[in-house]
Amino acid sequence: MSQTNPTPVAPAATALEGEAALIRAVGSFALTAAVINVIVGGGIFKMPAALSGQMGIAAPLSLVAGALAIIPIALCFAAIGSRTAATGGPYTYVSAAFGPFAGFIAGALMWICNVASSAGVAAALSIQVASLVPALAPPLPRALLLLAVYVSIFALNAFGVKLGARAITALAALKLTPLFALVAAGMFFVDWTQVSFSIGAAPSWAALGSSMVLVMFAYSGMETALVPSGELRNPARNVPRATMVAILLVVLLYLGLQIVGQGLLGGALATSGVPIADTAGALWAPARALLLVTACVSMAGFLLGNLLGSSRLLFALGRDGFLPHAYSRVSASHRVPLLALFTHAGLGCLFAVLGSFEALVLISGGAICLVYVLVGAAAGRAQAMDLRERGEPFVLKGGPLIPLLAVTAMTAIVATLTSREWLAIGVALGVLVIVYVVVRGLKPR
């Protein structure tokens, strides 16, 4: 009598844990779109007016100076991002170069920045929507609108990284097309007497320095898009390519929008509440409403990308024992960290209801410069150590020169912060150190 082997029974669907549970489904094109999508968020729709108010006709000079500062940072991200394949972004990069304490500070500080920027952009989004639908301006309808926004972006992320990446790519195309079209059409009507790249046209060195904090906030975002490294295909090749292409496109777009805005609106740009929409309206009146809609799409895209990256940062902190282990678990069906998604979306929604764009951006912009200092230093150390995980890494020419330039530039920008901003960042860092000590003390040896 023959005996057959019993048919194996599939285990019940359960939550999976750790890096191996993630799916590498994000390629170079989707990553480039994700980087652009996070950078071109809410800041660009307010920045032209703020820069014009601080710098006058020399506002484009701030963008050029910011580009000179952000490109070395992007190179550092490209270099160290090609050397580490694990999820975590700056947290993983700094941990690999300097150990867990520095990595924890970078990761936790970056997450606080991301919560603040998510809430600030969501608050700005509610204002943009209210300008189109005034019935949503009162507190209760505004709170319900923000709740609906966060529930929507949570749902898109909860059904898998592929769906989230596709949604990000679609939103990036929807918002970038009218912005590039505005630059292309507006350049033909610019009054160049309203635009200057001369240092002598700047009101003061102090004005230039303070404007750089705003510019760095507007240029920031690559660090969030690169957090899901555990879900990238061939990070050694795709991270450098996507980072550099995205940064170059963003610099050209921002510079073009500032020039067109000043060239069409002149001194009125500084007092505009919706500068991009008003610039479009100066070209063609119906275009103002189109750009208001574009602003809403852009901000929604930012929130979607911010949630994708920030949830993976919480996942990485849970994976390594700095947060409860539940944060390192992913759903069996779609392989996404649901608790991390819920935590970030919930806090972002809460602070968006209670706060404002202007109040949240100052802390976020200054603190992200500190994260960039750590990443620049980590890139130099990783290259000196010849750290590598998968594939041939991207090598910075000149050895430590580019990381040193990146660290110096960010340090100079941070030095322009006011005592109030330093106090806020210092309190946040103090709380983070206490959390680190407590968590490490409770962790079994």
Side-chain angles (χ1 to χ4, degrees):
M1 181 178 179
S2 62
Q3 185 176 4
T4 59
N5 294 327
T7 303
V9 179
T14 57
L16 305 176
E17 299 180 10
E19 196 75 17
L22 299 175
I23 300 174
R24 293 189 178 271
V26 181
S28 178
F29 183 77
L31 180 59
T32 302
V35 175
I36 295 175
N37 194 52
V38 175
I39 296 176
V40 185
I44 182 56
F45 293 94
K46 287 182 170 288
M47 184 184 65
L51 280 183
S52 181
Q54 289 183 346
M55 293 287 290
I57 64 172
L61 183 63
S62 298
L63 290 166
V64 173
L68 295 177
I70 200 65
I71 287 176
I73 293 294
L75 288 170
C76 288
F77 268 95
I80 196 167
S82 70
R83 294 178 180 274
T84 57
T87 293
Y91 159 67
T92 298
Y93 305 159
V94 177
S95 294
F98 296 114
F101 177 72
F104 175 78
I105 293 297
L109 182 58
M110 178 184 161
W111 178 62
I112 290 176
C113 292
N114 287 352
V115 171
S117 60
S118 175
V121 170
L125 171 62
S126 69
I127 295 174
Q128 297 282 338
V129 173
S131 66
L132 293 169
V133 185
L136 295 175
L140 181 58
R142 176 178 178 271
L144 293 175
L145 168 66
L146 289 169
L147 179 61
V149 168
Y150 275 98
V151 168
S152 299
I153 63 174
F154 173 85
L156 285 171
N157 275 286
F159 285 102
V161 68
K162 286 186 178 180
L163 178 60
R166 288 170 184 163
I168 287 171
T169 302
L171 286 172
L174 285 173
K175 70 183 178 184
L176 291 176
T177 300
L179 291 176
F180 277 108
L182 175 59
V183 171
M187 282 293 179
F188 292 100
F189 302 94
V190 168
D191 177 2
W192 291 96
T193 63
Q194 299 295 324
V195 179
S196 176
F197 291 90
S198 171
I199 294 179
S204 66
W205 282 104
L208 178 61
S210 61
S211 71
M212 291 295 289
V213 177
L214 176 61
V215 170
M216 294 312 299
F217 172 79
Y219 280 151
S220 67
M222 73 184 103
E223 67 285 346
T224 303
L226 294 177
V227 168
S229 301
E231 293 158 285
L232 301 181
R233 294 195 298 265
N234 195 356
R237 182 193 67 182
N238 290 334
V239 169
R241 179 183 300 175
T243 303
M244 294 313 301
V245 170
I247 285 296
L248 290 175
L249 285 174
V250 167
V251 168
L252 291 175
L253 176 62
Y254 282 13
L255 189 59
L257 288 171
Q258 188 71 38
I259 291 172
V260 171
Q262 290 184 201
L264 290 177
L265 299 180
L269 177 64
T271 59
S272 173
V274 283
I276 300 297
D278 284 343
T279 300
L283 279 177
W284 184 45
R288 187 179 187 275
L290 173 63
L291 265 294
L292 283 173
V293 173
T294 300
C296 295
V297 172
S298 177
M299 293 175 184
F302 170 86
L303 295 174
L304 184 64
N306 180 282
L307 179 57
L308 174 66
S310 300
S311 63
R312 272 53 174 189
L313 180 56
L314 290 178
F315 165 88
L317 290 170
R319 175 197 65 199
D320 295 342
F322 297 125
L323 287 178
H325 196 63
Y327 281 99
S328 70
R329 295 174 186 155
V330 300
S331 61
S333 54
H334 298 291
R335 305 289 184 92
V336 294
L338 289 177
L339 180 59
L341 286 170
F342 179 80
T343 299
H344 189 77
L347 288 175
C349 184
L350 175 65
F351 291 130
V353 171
L354 299 176
S356 67
F357 179 85
E358 292 78 10
L360 293 162
V361 160
L362 291 177
I363 296 175
S364 181
I368 203 62
C369 289
L370 294 176
V371 175
Y372 288 168
V373 168
L374 293 173
V375 170
R381 181 170 173 79
Q383 182 160 303
M385 296 165 54
D386 196 24
L387 175 70
R388 61 179 70 199
E389 290 187 13
R390 300 186 183 188
E392 191 65 24
F394 176 70
V395 178
L396 294 171
K397 303 298 182 183
L401 181 61
I402 292 177
L404 179 62
L405 182 61
V407 170
T408 302
M410 291 302 106
T411 302
I413 294 173
V414 167
T416 66
L417 295 175
T418 66
S419 58
R420 183 177 179 181
E421 290 151 8
W422 271 116
L423 177 62
I425 294 172
V427 169
L429 283 174
V431 171
L432 295 178
V433 171
I434 293 172
V435 170
Y436 175 86
V437 171
V438 170
V439 171
R440 296 294 286 184
L442 296 176
K443 191 174 181 180
R445 293 185 180 277

